[in-house]
């Protein structure tokens, strides 16, 4: 039986290593569902699997766009579905792995986007986050209640959607059936103990700097006019601030750790509210459950 195994969880939970172990044993491809691993040359800050790793060749939707380009959920959804359709022709099993819950939800469920007409968001880009939140409150309180004030990208998109279609995001979501569009999909939520997760996050940030994050960001800034989308990646915008003299190195590291921990909390909340899943604290338990099915 063909099966799509979806592995999601907060950053630093061990998703990638689990996916690689499964791919090696199931001879299955891995489809990336991380919003920033799609970008070329953004490697250290996204904890992307190295191209020198033999398992890199199993990966799809990784390193597909340069950081000077913006990339939407709608574009990802289209590429994801095309990729799954192609992989289904030659593979028994497929592994989907990532921490971007909206990408997973939009791609695997009957999640529809309207036509995007407006391209000039200059007035929104010039507004601060609090003003964007207040504006969305007045337009669609239901949607606004689900978007954090610091999630600038989603605030702008929700407001733009209303402008384009004269419909609120809530109206569009409520008109959908919220059904998985593929047969034989299983969702596994890797959710480690919070203290262990935070230790992993703090260590990863230290490792990123030891492995050359500052040089990576310098090279990105020299090579590309980095898009607003790419700069939303935690670790990149803070390092740019360090390079611009706005933060000390220690302030930069601590800010990345703090924002990553907060992001992990938001990820867990989203996963718990948006999916039906089997939850595990240890990646080895997920591995055993899947392998025992075979």
């Amino acid at each position: 039986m063909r099966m799509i195994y979806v592995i999601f969880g907060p950053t630093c939970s061990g998703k990638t290593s689990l996916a690689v172990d499964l791919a090696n044993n199931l001879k299955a491809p891995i489809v990336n569902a991380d919003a920033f691993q799609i970008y070329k040359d953004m490697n250290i800050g996204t904890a992307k699997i190295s191209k020198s790793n033999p398992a890199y060749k199993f990966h799809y939707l990784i390193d597909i766009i340069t950081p000077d380009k913006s990339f939407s959920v709608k574009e990802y959804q289209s590429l994801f579905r095309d990729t799954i359709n192609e992989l289904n022709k030659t593979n028994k099993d497929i592994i989907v792995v990532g921490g971007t819950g909206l990408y997973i939800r939009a791609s695997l469920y009957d999640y529809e986007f309207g036509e995007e007409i407006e391209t000039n968001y200059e007035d929104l880009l010039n507004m601060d986050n609090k003003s964007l939140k207040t504006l969305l409150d007045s337009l669609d309180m239901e949607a606004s209640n689900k978007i954090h004030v610091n999630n600038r990208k989603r605030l702008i998109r929700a407001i733009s959607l209303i402008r384009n279609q004269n419909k609120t995001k809530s109206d569009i979501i409520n008109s959908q059936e919220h059904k998985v569009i593929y047969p034989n999909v299983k969702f596994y939520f890797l959710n480690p103990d919070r203290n262990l997760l935070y230790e992993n996050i703090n260590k990863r940030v230290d490792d990123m700097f030891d492995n050359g994050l500052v040089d990576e960001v310098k090279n990105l800034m020299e090579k590309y006019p980095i898009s607003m989308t790419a700069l939303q990646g935690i670790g990149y915008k803070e390092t740019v601030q360090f390079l611009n003299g706005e933060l000390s190195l220690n302030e930069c590291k601590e800010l990345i750790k703090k924002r990553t921990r907060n992001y992990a909390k938001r990820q867990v909340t989203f996963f718990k509210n948006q999916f039906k899943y089997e939850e595990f604290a240890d990646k080895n338990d997920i591995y055993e459950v899947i392998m025992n099915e075979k």
Side-chain angles (χ1 to χ4, degrees), residues 181-228:
I181 63 174
Y182 298 98
N184 305 321
V185 179
K186 291 190 175 182
F187 295 90
Y188 296 94
F189 179 20
L190 181 53
N191 189 21
D193 171 78
R194 182 161 289 189
N195 289 330
L196 175 61
L197 181 66
Y198 287 178
E199 288 177 11
N200 291 343
I201 288 171
N202 293 339
K203 183 178 185 305
R204 176 180 287 180
V205 173
D206 289 334
D207 288 346
M208 288 192 312
F209 280 90
D210 290 343
N211 293 331
L213 178 62
V214 173
D215 286 337
E216 177 171 280
V217 175
K218 281 182 182 177
N219 291 335
L220 286 168
M221 293 173 69
E222 291 172 1
K223 190 173 182 180
Y224 305 106
I226 305 177
S227 72
M228 186 184 77

Side-chain angles (χ1 to χ4, degrees), residues 7 18 37 71 73 106 114-115 143 159 164 180-181 219 230 256 281:
I7 299 166
L18 170 59
Q37 290 191 5
F71 194 76
V73 182
E115 291 299 317
I159 296 167
N164 289 343
V180 177
I181 63 174
N219 291 335
I256 294 171

Side-chain angles (χ1 to χ4, degrees), residues 113-168:
F113 297 91
E115 291 299 317
E116 296 187 17
I117 302 168
E118 180 179 328
T119 57
N120 183 6
Y121 306 139
E122 186 173 351
D123 63 321
L124 300 181
L125 296 177
N126 290 331
M127 294 172 67
D128 60 31
N129 289 7
K130 186 175 179 180
S131 299
L132 289 169
K133 181 75 168 174
T134 300
L135 176 57
L136 185 57
D137 284 346
S138 68
L139 298 171
D140 185 358
M141 181 62 76
E142 184 179 348
S144 186
N145 286 338
K146 297 175 183 177
I147 303 176
H148 192 276
V149 65
N150 291 331
N151 198 330
R152 183 175 182 84
K153 183 179 176 182
R154 287 187 65 197
L155 289 171
I156 290 174
R157 172 162 180 79
I159 296 167
S160 301
L161 191 67
I162 296 168
R163 289 182 176 181
N164 289 343
Q165 302 180 47
N166 201 27
K167 288 183 180 179
T168 68

